[in-house]
Amino acid sequence: MTVISFTESNLDGILPLLASGKVRDLYKIDSRTLLFVASDRISAYDVIMRNGVPEKGALLTLLSAHWFHVLSSAIPSLKTHFISLDLPPQVPQELHTQLQSRSMQVRKLEIFPIEAIVRGYITGSAWIEYQAKGTVHGMKVQPGLNESEAFPQGAIYTPSTKAEAGLNDENIHPDQAAKIVGEKYAKRIEKLALELYSTARKYALERGIIIADTKFEFGLDTETDEVILVDEVLTPDSSRFWPASKYKIGQAQESFDKQYLRDWLTTNGLKGKQAVEMPEAVMNKTAEKYREAFERLVGEKWGGS
């Protein structure tokens, strides 16, 4: 049976659409609550593909909900924006099948305009910069590292700007991130991001997955002045997942994320090109890798949305 990708949500006349990102559509439920709807859209190198990956949105949503539970249990002081996987009463019953499992109710917060990236291993853009300059996000790093090697001093905080749709995020030094969000919040974001990564890295490794790097996003509760974990968390869209059993220093790694798609784009000279349509084989292989990541991390077979 062919599963059709869900690439556009439409709640016109039901809930106001506040924003539409690379993957998620954001609707207003009330003055304090939002509805995140994760589509099956997929982006690589900050460009959205023309076609989607079937059931990807539901998988990302359910995996994020799992991580919110795992992290909150491990770090009792952690506050997240997650409220519920239930659809709000405004959504009519006939849309429930389409939207259930790919939607979550979340708290409305003031979002910090940076991406809090944590890297445990040197790969991707960090490896490219290191080879050229001996730095990562402008920070000096121990010389002599090999591709995919763990940072000897432990995971490092390497923020980026948060670009508008269609534009590229920019890797920045932590000092620049502090200028954007303010020193007070920058230190709290860095500390929390590193703690979250450390907790998740241990959890995933016990299940055969290395989290090479990941991206967190945070918001501010202006009433309590608390920094809150928001957006998706530790998914194949926001992280590099490697099979621990096949890990080998000095080379690129197999992965459970969209690296397969990135590699296909690069090999075919399509990196950064607009309106690219994935062949069915690439779409299916990407979906397979996402499902395997979900099953290892959650401990359940993926049954679809």
Side-chain angles (χ1 to χ4, degrees):
M1 182 180 71
T2 301
V3 181
I4 299 173
S5 296
F6 176 87
T7 55
E8 298 291 339
S9 65
N10 186 350
L11 294 177
D12 285 354
I14 301 169
L15 295 173
L17 177 66
L18 299 181
S20 184
K22 293 169 188 166
V23 174
R24 286 165 187 77
D25 298 326
L26 185 60
Y27 294 91
K28 178 181 178 181
I29 298 175
D30 56 43
S31 62
R32 302 175 69 90
T33 317
L34 305 174
L35 183 69
F36 269 24
V37 179
S39 73
D40 294 334
R41 298 190 295 268
I42 188 168
S43 68
Y45 301 115
D46 292 314
V47 177
I48 301 170
M49 301 297 103
R50 179 178 289 175
N51 51 339
V53 176
E55 300 187 319
K56 170 178 168 284
L59 187 149
L60 297 184
T61 300
L62 296 178
L63 182 55
S64 288
H66 177 76
W67 276 117
F68 283 129
H69 172 73
V70 168
L71 295 171
S72 295
S73 297
I75 308 172
S77 61
L78 176 67
K79 301 292 176 64
T80 81
H81 73 158
F82 178 74
I83 297 174
S84 171
L85 289 171
D86 296 333
L87 291 166
Q90 297 97 315
V91 176
Q93 192 67 39
E94 59 265 27
L95 294 180
H96 279 217
T97 300
Q98 186 184 65
L99 297 176
Q100 193 68 55
S101 298
R102 65 172 67 251
S103 305
M104 66 168 70
Q105 293 189 52
V106 301
R107 297 168 57 193
K108 183 180 180 181
L109 300 161
E110 184 179 306
I111 304 301
F112 290 107
I114 61 169
E115 297 190 336
I117 300 167
V118 180
R119 302 179 188 271
Y121 299 74
I122 189 159
T123 186
S125 63
W127 173 241
I128 293 170
E129 179 187 337
Y130 177 76
Q131 287 179 291
K133 303 176 182 178
T135 60
V136 173
H137 287 237
M139 297 180 289
K140 290 296 292 184
V141 175
Q142 179 176 318
L145 297 182
N146 296 301
E147 183 177 8
S148 303
E149 188 172 350
F151 288 104
Q153 75 277 29
I156 60 174
Y157 173 65
T158 57
S160 76
T161 59
K162 191 174 178 183
E164 298 295 327
L167 300 176
N168 295 330
D169 300 331
E170 179 189 348
N171 291 346
I172 56 175
H173 190 283
D175 289 348
Q176 190 175 343
K179 292 177 182 178
I180 294 171
V181 302
E183 188 69 34
K184 169 186 172 182
Y185 296 117
K187 288 181 178 178
R188 288 158 61 180
I189 289 170
E190 178 174 353
K191 181 176 182 294
L192 184 52
L194 288 167
E195 184 178 11
L196 289 167
Y197 174 80
S198 176
T199 302
R201 178 181 181 176
K202 180 181 177 183
Y203 174 92
L205 196 55
E206 291 169 352
R207 288 153 181 82
I209 289 181
I210 292 171
I211 303 177
D213 53 44
T214 194
K215 168 186 71 71
F216 298 110
E217 296 193 34
F218 296 97
L220 178 67
D221 184 330
T222 55
E223 294 180 2
T224 64
D225 201 40
E226 291 175 304
V227 173
I228 313 293
L229 178 63
V230 303
D231 202 60
E232 66 176 326
V233 180
L234 294 153
T235 72
D237 264 16
S238 64
S239 316
R240 280 188 175 89
F241 292 150
W242 297 338
S245 62
K246 298 181 179 180
Y247 172 62
K248 187 175 181 181
I249 294 174
Q251 63 184 41
Q253 308 296 312
E254 290 187 29
S255 64
F256 298 123
D257 51 56
K258 56 185 175 183
Q259 191 60 45
Y260 184 86
L261 171 58
R262 293 190 193 103
D263 291 344
W264 175 80
L265 291 167
T266 302
T267 300
N268 289 277
L270 298 171
K271 178 180 178 180
K273 298 289 180 64
Q274 298 289 332
V276 173
E277 182 158 346
M278 295 176 288
E280 187 173 356
V282 173
M283 179 181 70
N284 290 339
K285 188 66 175 179
T286 302
E288 177 187 313
K289 288 179 173 291
Y290 275 51
R291 286 194 298 270
E292 185 168 359
F294 177 93
E295 290 172 357
R296 287 200 187 199
L297 292 168
V298 176
E300 298 175 2
K301 290 290 288 181
W302 172 250
S305 55

